Coordinates of all heavy atoms in Angstrom, one line a residue:
M1 N -14.8 6.2 4.6 CA -13.5 6.0 4.1 C -12.7 5.1 5.0 O -11.9 4.3 4.5 CB -12.7 7.3 3.9 CG -13.2 8.2 2.8 SD -13.0 7.4 1.2 CE -13.6 8.7 0.2
A2 N -12.8 5.3 6.3 CA -12.1 4.4 7.2 C -12.5 2.9 7.0 O -11.6 2.1 7.0 CB -12.4 4.8 8.6
R3 N -13.8 2.7 6.8 CA -14.2 1.3 6.5 C -13.6 0.8 5.3 O -13.1 -0.4 5.2 CB -15.7 1.3 6.4 CG -16.3 -0.1 6.2 CD -17.8 -0.1 6.2 NE -18.3 -1.3 5.7 CZ -19.4 -1.5 5.0 NH1 -20.2 -0.4 4.8 NH2 -19.8 -2.7 4.7
A4 N -13.5 1.6 4.2 CA -12.9 1.1 2.9 C -11.4 0.8 3.2 O -10.9 -0.1 2.6 CB -13.1 2.2 1.8
L5 N -10.7 1.7 3.9 CA -9.3 1.4 4.2 C -9.1 0.2 5.0 O -8.1 -0.5 4.8 CB -8.7 2.7 4.8 CG -8.5 3.9 3.8 CD1 -8.1 5.1 4.7 CD2 -7.5 3.6 2.7
T6 N -10.0 0.0 5.9 CA -9.9 -1.3 6.7 C -10.1 -2.5 5.9 O -9.4 -3.5 6.0 CB -11.0 -1.2 7.8 OG1 -10.7 -0.1 8.7 CG2 -11.0 -2.5 8.6
I7 N -11.0 -2.5 4.9 CA -11.3 -3.6 4.0 C -10.0 -3.8 3.2 O -9.6 -4.9 3.0 CB -12.5 -3.3 3.0 CG1 -13.7 -3.3 3.9 CG2 -12.5 -4.3 1.9 CD1 -15.0 -2.8 3.2
L8 N -9.4 -2.8 2.7 CA -8.1 -2.9 2.0 C -7.0 -3.5 2.8 O -6.3 -4.4 2.3 CB -7.6 -1.5 1.5 CG -8.3 -0.9 0.3 CD1 -7.9 0.6 0.2 CD2 -8.0 -1.6 -0.9
A9 N -6.9 -3.1 4.1 CA -5.9 -3.6 5.0 C -6.1 -5.2 5.2 O -5.1 -5.9 5.5 CB -5.9 -2.9 6.3
E10 N -7.4 -5.6 5.1 CA -7.6 -7.0 5.3 C -7.5 -7.8 4.0 O -7.8 -9.0 3.9 CB -9.1 -7.1 5.8 CG -9.3 -6.6 7.2 CD -10.7 -6.5 7.7 OE1 -11.6 -6.7 6.8 OE2 -10.9 -6.3 8.8
G11 N -7.0 -7.2 2.9 CA -6.7 -7.9 1.6 C -7.9 -8.0 0.7 O -7.8 -8.6 -0.3
Q12 N -8.9 -7.2 0.9 CA -10.1 -7.2 0.1 C -10.1 -5.9 -0.7 O -9.4 -5.0 -0.4 CB -11.4 -7.3 0.9 CG -11.4 -8.5 1.8 CD -11.9 -9.7 1.3 OE1 -12.7 -9.6 0.3 NE2 -11.6 -10.9 1.7
M13 N -11.0 -5.8 -1.7 CA -11.2 -4.6 -2.5 C -12.6 -4.0 -2.2 O -13.6 -4.7 -2.5 CB -11.0 -4.9 -4.0 CG -11.0 -3.7 -4.8 SD -9.6 -2.6 -4.6 CE -8.2 -3.5 -5.1
P14 N -12.7 -2.8 -1.6 CA -14.0 -2.2 -1.4 C -14.7 -1.9 -2.6 O -14.0 -1.6 -3.7 CB -13.7 -1.0 -0.5 CG -12.2 -0.7 -0.8 CD -11.6 -2.0 -1.2
D15 N -16.0 -1.9 -2.6 CA -16.8 -1.5 -3.8 C -16.6 -0.1 -4.3 O -17.0 0.2 -5.4 CB -18.2 -1.9 -3.6 CG -18.9 -1.2 -2.4 OD1 -18.2 -0.5 -1.7 OD2 -20.1 -1.3 -2.4
I16 N -16.1 0.8 -3.5 CA -16.0 2.2 -3.8 C -14.5 2.5 -4.4 O -14.2 3.6 -4.7 CB -16.3 3.2 -2.7 CG1 -15.3 3.1 -1.5 CG2 -17.7 3.1 -2.3 CD1 -15.4 4.1 -0.5
A17 N -13.7 1.5 -4.6 CA -12.4 1.6 -5.2 C -12.4 1.4 -6.7 O -13.1 0.6 -7.2 CB -11.5 0.5 -4.5
K18 N -11.6 2.3 -7.3 CA -11.4 2.1 -8.8 C -10.0 2.6 -9.1 O -9.4 3.4 -8.4 CB -12.5 2.9 -9.5 CG -12.4 4.4 -9.3 CD -13.5 5.1 -10.1 CE -13.3 6.6 -9.8 NZ -14.3 7.4 -10.7
P19 N -9.4 2.1 -10.2 CA -8.1 2.6 -10.6 C -8.2 4.1 -11.0 O -9.2 4.6 -11.5 CB -7.8 1.8 -11.9 CG -8.8 0.7 -11.9 CD -10.0 1.1 -11.1
L20 N -7.1 4.8 -10.6 CA -7.0 6.2 -11.0 C -6.2 6.3 -12.3 O -5.0 6.0 -12.3 CB -6.3 7.0 -9.9 CG -6.3 8.5 -10.1 CD1 -7.7 9.1 -10.2 CD2 -5.6 9.2 -8.9
T21 N -6.8 6.7 -13.4 CA -6.1 6.7 -14.6 C -5.0 7.7 -14.7 O -5.0 8.8 -14.0 CB -7.2 7.0 -15.8 OG1 -7.7 8.3 -15.5 CG2 -8.2 5.9 -15.9
G22 N -4.0 7.4 -15.5 CA -2.8 8.2 -15.7 C -1.7 8.0 -14.7 O -0.7 8.7 -14.7
F23 N -1.8 7.0 -13.8 CA -0.8 6.8 -12.8 C -0.2 5.4 -12.8 O 0.6 5.1 -12.0 CB -1.4 7.0 -11.3 CG -1.7 8.5 -11.1 CD1 -2.9 9.0 -11.4 CD2 -0.7 9.2 -10.5 CE1 -3.2 10.3 -11.2 CE2 -1.0 10.6 -10.2 CZ -2.2 11.1 -10.5
G24 N -0.6 4.6 -13.8 CA -0.1 3.2 -13.8 C -0.8 2.3 -12.9 O -1.7 2.7 -12.1
S25 N -0.4 1.0 -12.9 CA -1.2 0.0 -12.0 C -0.8 0.3 -10.6 O 0.3 0.7 -10.2 CB -0.8 -1.4 -12.5 OG 0.6 -1.6 -12.2
G26 N -1.7 0.0 -9.7 CA -1.5 0.0 -8.3 C -1.9 1.3 -7.7 O -1.9 1.4 -6.4
V27 N -2.2 2.3 -8.4 CA -2.7 3.6 -7.8 C -4.2 3.6 -8.0 O -4.8 3.5 -9.1 CB -2.1 4.8 -8.5 CG1 -2.7 6.1 -7.9 CG2 -0.6 4.8 -8.3
M28 N -4.9 3.6 -6.8 CA -6.4 3.5 -6.8 C -7.0 4.7 -6.1 O -6.3 5.5 -5.5 CB -6.7 2.3 -6.1 CG -6.1 1.0 -6.5 SD -6.8 0.4 -8.1 CE -8.3 -0.2 -7.5
E29 N -8.3 4.9 -6.3 CA -9.0 6.0 -5.7 C -10.3 5.4 -5.1 O -10.9 4.5 -5.6 CB -9.4 6.9 -6.9 CG -10.4 8.0 -6.5 CD -10.8 8.8 -7.6 OE1 -11.2 8.3 -8.7 OE2 -10.7 10.0 -7.6
L30 N -10.5 5.9 -3.9 CA -11.8 5.6 -3.2 C -12.7 6.8 -3.4 O -12.2 8.0 -3.1 CB -11.5 5.4 -1.7 CG -10.7 4.3 -1.3 CD1 -10.4 4.3 0.2 CD2 -11.2 2.9 -1.7
A31 N -13.9 6.6 -3.9 CA -14.8 7.7 -4.2 C -16.0 7.5 -3.3 O -16.7 6.5 -3.3 CB -15.1 7.6 -5.6
L32 N -16.4 8.6 -2.5 CA -17.5 8.6 -1.7 C -18.3 9.9 -1.8 O -17.7 10.9 -1.8 CB -17.0 8.5 -0.2 CG -18.1 8.5 0.8 CD1 -18.9 7.1 0.8 CD2 -17.4 8.6 2.2
K33 N -19.6 9.7 -2.0 CA -20.5 10.8 -2.1 C -21.2 10.9 -0.7 O -21.6 9.9 -0.2 CB -21.5 10.7 -3.2 CG -20.9 10.8 -4.6 CD -21.9 10.7 -5.6 CE -21.2 10.7 -7.0 NZ -22.1 10.6 -8.1
H34 N -21.3 12.2 -0.2 CA -21.9 12.3 1.1 C -22.7 13.7 1.1 O -22.1 14.7 1.0 CB -21.0 12.2 2.2 CG -21.5 12.4 3.6 ND1 -22.4 11.5 4.2 CD2 -21.4 13.4 4.5 CE1 -22.7 11.9 5.3 NE2 -22.2 13.1 5.6
R35 N -24.0 13.6 1.2 CA -24.8 14.9 1.3 C -24.5 15.8 0.1 O -24.4 17.1 0.4 CB -24.6 15.5 2.6 CG -25.2 14.7 3.8 CD -25.0 15.5 5.1 NE -25.5 14.6 6.1 CZ -25.5 15.0 7.4 NH1 -25.0 16.2 7.8 NH2 -26.0 14.1 8.3
G36 N -24.4 15.3 -1.1 CA -24.2 16.1 -2.2 C -22.8 16.5 -2.5 O -22.4 17.1 -3.5
D37 N -21.8 16.1 -1.6 CA -20.5 16.4 -1.8 C -19.7 15.2 -2.2 O -20.2 14.0 -2.0 CB -19.8 17.0 -0.6 CG -20.3 18.4 -0.2 OD1 -20.6 19.2 -1.1 OD2 -20.5 18.6 1.1
A38 N -18.6 15.3 -2.9 CA -17.7 14.2 -3.3 C -16.4 14.2 -2.6 O -15.7 15.3 -2.5 CB -17.6 14.2 -4.8
Y39 N -16.0 13.1 -2.0 CA -14.7 13.0 -1.4 C -13.8 11.9 -2.0 O -14.4 10.9 -2.5 CB -15.0 12.6 0.1 CG -15.7 13.7 0.8 CD1 -17.1 13.7 0.9 CD2 -15.1 14.8 1.5 CE1 -17.8 14.7 1.5 CE2 -15.8 15.8 2.1 CZ -17.2 15.7 2.1 OH -17.9 16.7 2.8
R40 N -12.6 12.1 -2.0 CA -11.7 11.2 -2.6 C -10.5 10.8 -1.7 O -10.0 11.8 -1.0 CB -11.1 11.7 -3.9 CG -12.1 12.0 -5.0 CD -12.8 10.8 -5.5 NE -13.7 11.1 -6.6 CZ -14.9 11.2 -6.5 NH1 -15.6 11.2 -5.4 NH2 -15.7 11.5 -7.6
V41 N -10.1 9.6 -1.7 CA -8.8 9.2 -1.1 C -8.0 8.4 -2.2 O -8.6 7.5 -2.8 CB -9.0 8.3 0.1 CG1 -7.7 7.7 0.6 CG2 -9.7 9.0 1.3
V42 N -6.8 8.9 -2.5 CA -6.0 8.2 -3.4 C -4.9 7.5 -2.7 O -4.3 8.0 -1.8 CB -5.4 9.3 -4.4 CG1 -4.4 8.6 -5.4 CG2 -6.5 10.0 -5.2
Y43 N -4.7 6.2 -3.1 CA -3.8 5.4 -2.4 C -3.0 4.6 -3.4 O -3.4 4.4 -4.5 CB -4.4 4.5 -1.3 CG -5.4 3.5 -1.9 CD1 -5.0 2.2 -2.1 CD2 -6.7 3.8 -2.1 CE1 -5.8 1.3 -2.7 CE2 -7.6 2.9 -2.6 CZ -7.1 1.6 -2.9 OH -8.0 0.7 -3.4
A44 N -1.9 4.1 -2.9 CA -1.0 3.2 -3.8 C -0.9 1.8 -3.2 O -0.6 1.7 -2.0 CB 0.4 3.8 -3.9
L45 N -1.1 0.8 -3.9 CA -1.0 -0.6 -3.6 C 0.3 -1.1 -4.3 O 0.9 -0.4 -5.1 CB -2.1 -1.4 -4.0 CG -3.5 -1.3 -3.3 CD1 -4.5 -2.2 -4.0 CD2 -3.4 -1.7 -1.9
Q46 N 0.7 -2.3 -3.9 CA 1.8 -3.0 -4.6 C 3.1 -2.2 -4.4 O 4.0 -2.3 -5.3 CB 1.5 -3.2 -6.1 CG 0.2 -3.9 -6.3 CD -0.2 -4.0 -7.8 OE1 0.3 -3.2 -8.6 NE2 -1.2 -4.8 -8.1
I47 N 3.3 -1.6 -3.3 CA 4.6 -1.0 -2.9 C 4.9 -1.8 -1.7 O 4.4 -1.5 -0.6 CB 4.5 0.5 -2.7 CG1 4.2 1.2 -4.0 CG2 5.9 1.0 -2.2 CD1 4.1 2.7 -3.9
D48 N 5.7 -2.8 -1.8 CA 6.0 -3.8 -0.8 C 4.6 -4.4 -0.5 O 3.8 -4.7 -1.4 CB 6.6 -3.2 0.4 CG 8.0 -2.6 0.1 OD1 8.7 -3.3 -0.7 OD2 8.4 -1.6 0.7
E49 N 4.2 -4.5 0.8 CA 2.9 -5.1 1.1 C 2.1 -4.0 1.8 O 1.1 -4.3 2.4 CB 3.1 -6.3 2.1 CG 3.7 -7.4 1.4 CD 3.9 -8.7 2.4 OE1 3.3 -8.6 3.5 OE2 4.6 -9.6 2.0
D50 N 2.4 -2.8 1.7 CA 1.8 -1.7 2.4 C 0.8 -1.0 1.5 O 0.9 -1.0 0.3 CB 2.8 -0.6 2.9 CG 3.8 -1.3 3.8 OD1 3.4 -2.1 4.6 OD2 5.0 -0.9 3.8
I51 N -0.1 -0.3 2.1 CA -1.1 0.6 1.5 C -0.6 2.0 1.9 O -0.6 2.3 3.1 CB -2.5 0.4 1.9 CG1 -2.9 -1.1 1.6 CG2 -3.5 1.4 1.3 CD1 -4.2 -1.5 2.2
W52 N -0.3 2.9 0.9 CA 0.2 4.2 1.2 C -0.9 5.2 0.7 O -1.2 5.2 -0.4 CB 1.5 4.5 0.5 CG 2.6 3.7 0.9 CD1 2.9 2.4 0.5 CD2 3.5 4.0 1.9 NE1 4.0 1.9 1.2 CE2 4.4 2.9 2.1 CE3 3.8 5.1 2.7 CZ2 5.5 2.9 3.0 CZ3 4.8 5.2 3.6 CH2 5.6 4.1 3.7
V53 N -1.5 6.0 1.6 CA -2.4 7.0 1.3 C -1.6 8.2 0.8 O -0.7 8.8 1.4 CB -3.3 7.4 2.5 CG1 -4.2 8.6 2.1 CG2 -4.2 6.2 2.9
L54 N -1.8 8.6 -0.5 CA -1.1 9.7 -1.1 C -1.8 11.0 -0.9 O -1.1 12.0 -0.8 CB -0.9 9.4 -2.6 CG -0.2 8.1 -3.0 CD1 -0.3 7.9 -4.5 CD2 1.2 8.2 -2.5
H55 N -3.1 11.0 -0.9 CA -3.8 12.3 -0.8 C -5.3 12.0 -0.5 O -5.9 11.0 -0.9 CB -3.8 13.0 -2.1 CG -4.3 14.4 -2.2 ND1 -4.1 15.3 -1.2 CD2 -5.0 15.1 -3.1 CE1 -4.6 16.5 -1.5 NE2 -5.2 16.4 -2.7
A56 N -5.9 12.9 0.3 CA -7.4 12.8 0.6 C -7.9 14.2 0.4 O -7.2 15.2 0.8 CB -7.6 12.3 1.9
F57 N -9.1 14.3 -0.3 CA -9.6 15.7 -0.5 C -11.0 15.6 -0.8 O -11.6 14.6 -1.1 CB -8.8 16.4 -1.7 CG -8.9 15.6 -2.9 CD1 -9.8 16.0 -3.9 CD2 -8.1 14.5 -3.2 CE1 -9.9 15.4 -5.1 CE2 -8.1 13.8 -4.4 CZ -9.1 14.3 -5.4
Q58 N -11.7 16.8 -0.6 CA -13.0 17.0 -1.0 C -13.0 17.5 -2.5 O -12.3 18.5 -2.7 CB -13.8 17.9 -0.1 CG -15.2 18.2 -0.6 CD -16.0 19.1 0.3 OE1 -15.5 19.7 1.3 NE2 -17.2 19.4 0.0
K59 N -13.7 16.8 -3.3 CA -13.6 17.2 -4.7 C -14.5 18.3 -5.0 O -15.7 18.3 -4.7 CB -14.0 15.9 -5.6 CG -13.8 16.2 -7.0 CD -14.0 14.9 -7.8 CE -13.9 15.1 -9.3 NZ -14.7 14.1 -10.0
K60 N -13.9 19.4 -5.6 CA -14.6 20.6 -5.9 C -14.2 21.0 -7.4 O -13.6 22.0 -7.5 CB -14.4 21.7 -4.9 CG -14.9 21.4 -3.6 CD -14.8 22.6 -2.7 CE -15.4 22.4 -1.3 NZ -15.6 23.5 -0.6
S61 N -14.6 20.1 -8.3 CA -14.2 20.4 -9.7 C -15.0 21.6 -10.3 O -16.2 21.7 -10.1 CB -14.4 19.1 -10.5 OG -14.1 19.4 -11.9
K62 N -14.3 22.3 -11.0 CA -15.0 23.4 -11.8 C -15.2 23.0 -13.2 O -15.7 23.7 -14.0 CB -14.1 24.6 -11.7 CG -13.9 25.1 -10.3 CD -13.2 26.5 -10.3 CE -12.9 27.1 -8.9 NZ -13.4 26.4 -7.8
A63 N -14.8 21.7 -13.5 CA -15.0 21.2 -14.9 C -15.7 19.9 -14.9 O -15.2 18.9 -15.4 CB -13.6 21.0 -15.5
G64 N -16.9 19.9 -14.3 CA -17.7 18.6 -14.4 C -17.1 17.6 -13.4 O -16.8 17.9 -12.3
I65 N -16.9 16.3 -14.0 CA -16.5 15.2 -13.1 C -15.0 15.2 -13.1 O -14.5 14.3 -12.3 CB -17.2 13.9 -13.6 CG1 -16.7 13.6 -15.0 CG2 -18.7 13.9 -13.5 CD1 -17.0 12.2 -15.4
K66 N -14.3 15.9 -13.8 CA -12.9 15.9 -13.9 C -12.2 16.3 -12.6 O -12.7 17.3 -12.0 CB -12.4 16.7 -15.0 CG -10.9 16.5 -15.4 CD -10.6 17.2 -16.7 CE -9.1 16.9 -17.0 NZ -8.8 17.6 -18.3
T67 N -11.2 15.5 -12.1 CA -10.4 15.9 -10.9 C -9.6 17.1 -11.3 O -8.9 17.1 -12.3 CB -9.6 14.7 -10.5 OG1 -10.4 13.6 -10.2 CG2 -8.8 15.1 -9.2
P68 N -9.6 18.2 -10.4 CA -8.8 19.4 -10.7 C -7.3 19.0 -10.9 O -6.7 18.2 -10.3 CB -9.0 20.2 -9.5 CG -10.3 19.8 -8.9 CD -10.3 18.3 -9.3
K69 N -6.7 19.7 -11.9 CA -5.3 19.6 -12.2 C -4.4 19.7 -11.0 O -3.4 19.0 -10.8 CB -4.9 20.5 -13.3 CG -3.4 20.3 -13.8 CD -3.1 21.3 -14.9 CE -1.6 21.1 -15.4 NZ -0.7 20.6 -14.6
A70 N -4.7 20.7 -10.1 CA -3.8 20.9 -8.9 C -3.8 19.6 -8.1 O -2.8 19.2 -7.5 CB -4.4 22.0 -8.1
E71 N -4.9 18.9 -8.0 CA -5.0 17.6 -7.1 C -4.2 16.6 -7.9 O -3.4 15.9 -7.1 CB -6.5 17.2 -7.0 CG -7.4 18.2 -6.4 CD -7.1 18.5 -4.9 OE1 -6.3 17.8 -4.3 OE2 -7.7 19.5 -4.3
I72 N -4.3 16.5 -9.1 CA -3.6 15.5 -9.9 C -2.1 15.7 -9.8 O -1.3 14.8 -9.6 CB -4.1 15.5 -11.4 CG1 -5.5 15.0 -11.5 CG2 -3.1 14.6 -12.3 CD1 -5.8 13.6 -11.1
D73 N -1.6 17.0 -9.9 CA -0.2 17.3 -9.8 C 0.3 16.9 -8.5 O 1.4 16.4 -8.3 CB 0.0 18.8 -10.1 CG -0.2 19.1 -11.5 OD1 -0.3 18.2 -12.4 OD2 -0.4 20.4 -11.8
L74 N -0.4 17.2 -7.4 CA -0.1 16.9 -6.0 C 0.1 15.4 -5.9 O 1.1 14.9 -5.3 CB -1.0 17.5 -5.0 CG -0.7 17.2 -3.6 CD1 0.6 17.8 -3.2 CD2 -1.8 17.8 -2.7
I75 N -0.8 14.6 -6.4 CA -0.7 13.1 -6.3 C 0.5 12.7 -7.1 O 1.2 11.8 -6.5 CB -2.0 12.5 -6.9 CG1 -3.2 12.8 -6.0 CG2 -1.8 11.0 -7.0 CD1 -4.6 12.6 -6.7
H76 N 0.8 13.2 -8.2 CA 2.0 12.8 -9.0 C 3.3 13.0 -8.2 O 4.1 12.2 -8.1 CB 2.1 13.5 -10.3 CG 1.4 12.9 -11.4 ND1 1.8 11.7 -12.0 CD2 0.3 13.3 -12.1 CE1 1.0 11.4 -13.0 NE2 0.0 12.3 -13.1
E77 N 3.3 14.2 -7.5 CA 4.5 14.6 -6.8 C 4.7 13.7 -5.5 O 5.8 13.2 -5.3 CB 4.4 16.0 -6.4 CG 5.6 16.5 -5.5 CD 6.9 16.4 -6.2 OE1 7.0 16.5 -7.4 OE2 7.9 16.3 -5.4
R78 N 3.6 13.4 -4.9 CA 3.7 12.5 -3.7 C 4.0 11.1 -4.0 O 4.8 10.5 -3.3 CB 2.4 12.6 -2.9 CG 2.2 13.9 -2.2 CD 0.9 14.0 -1.4 NE 0.8 15.2 -0.7 CZ -0.3 15.6 -0.1 NH1 -1.3 14.8 0.1 NH2 -0.3 16.8 0.6
L79 N 3.5 10.6 -5.1 CA 3.9 9.3 -5.6 C 5.3 9.2 -5.9 O 6.0 8.2 -5.6 CB 3.0 8.8 -6.8 CG 3.2 7.4 -7.4 CD1 3.0 6.4 -6.2 CD2 2.3 7.2 -8.5
K80 N 5.8 10.2 -6.6 CA 7.2 10.3 -7.0 C 8.1 10.2 -5.8 O 9.1 9.5 -5.7 CB 7.5 11.5 -7.8 CG 8.9 11.8 -8.2 CD 9.1 13.1 -9.0 CE 10.6 13.5 -9.1 NZ 10.7 14.8 -9.7
R81 N 7.8 11.1 -4.8 CA 8.6 11.2 -3.5 C 8.5 9.8 -2.8 O 9.5 9.4 -2.2 CB 8.2 12.3 -2.6 CG 8.5 13.7 -3.2 CD 8.3 14.8 -2.3 NE 7.2 14.6 -1.3 CZ 6.3 15.5 -1.0 NH1 6.5 16.8 -1.5 NH2 5.4 15.3 -0.1
L82 N 7.3 9.2 -2.8 CA 7.2 7.9 -2.1 C 8.1 6.8 -2.7 O 8.8 6.1 -2.0 CB 5.7 7.5 -2.1 CG 5.5 6.1 -1.5 CD1 5.9 6.0 0.0 CD2 4.0 5.7 -1.7
K83 N 8.1 6.8 -4.0 CA 8.9 5.8 -4.7 C 10.4 6.0 -4.5 O 11.2 5.1 -4.3 CB 8.7 5.8 -6.2 CG 7.3 5.1 -6.5 CD 7.0 5.2 -8.0 CE 5.7 4.5 -8.4 NZ 5.4 4.5 -9.8
E84 N 10.9 7.3 -4.5 CA 12.2 7.6 -4.2 C 12.6 7.2 -2.7 O 13.7 6.7 -2.5 CB 12.4 9.2 -4.4 CG 12.5 9.6 -5.8 CD 12.5 11.1 -6.0 OE1 12.4 11.8 -4.9 OE2 12.5 11.6 -7.1
R85 N 11.7 7.5 -1.8 CA 12.0 7.2 -0.4 C 12.1 5.7 -0.2 O 12.8 5.2 0.7 CB 10.9 7.8 0.4 CG 11.1 7.6 1.9 CD 10.1 8.3 2.7 NE 10.4 8.2 4.1 CZ 9.5 8.4 5.1 NH1 8.4 8.9 4.8 NH2 9.9 8.2 6.3
L86 N 11.4 4.9 -0.9 CA 11.3 3.4 -0.7 C 12.4 2.8 -1.4 O 12.6 1.5 -1.3 CB 9.9 2.9 -1.2 CG 8.8 3.3 -0.3 CD1 7.5 2.8 -0.9 CD2 8.9 2.9 1.2
R87 N 13.3 3.4 -2.2 CA 14.3 2.8 -2.9 C 15.4 2.3 -2.0 O 15.8 2.8 -1.0 CB 14.9 3.7 -4.0 CG 14.1 3.8 -5.2 CD 14.8 4.6 -6.2 NE 13.7 5.0 -7.2 CZ 13.9 5.9 -8.1 NH1 15.0 6.5 -8.2 NH2 13.0 6.2 -9.0

């Protein structure tokens, strides 16, 4: 994940990055599989020139590939607070 975030900081897009649906443009997800586990880092681009990490977690979905609702709710709340703070 550190390597992918470094690539982002250098203005490139890492191959493990993809848009996170339901959050609008600029909210992306880094997805990494390691030894059978899935890890995610959710970050926001296009807020000034900064990259803001909103949430990082080990994915333990009980519903297949779907990200758990509690994780999605937390990301929504953090993005809302970030946007308010940057006004």
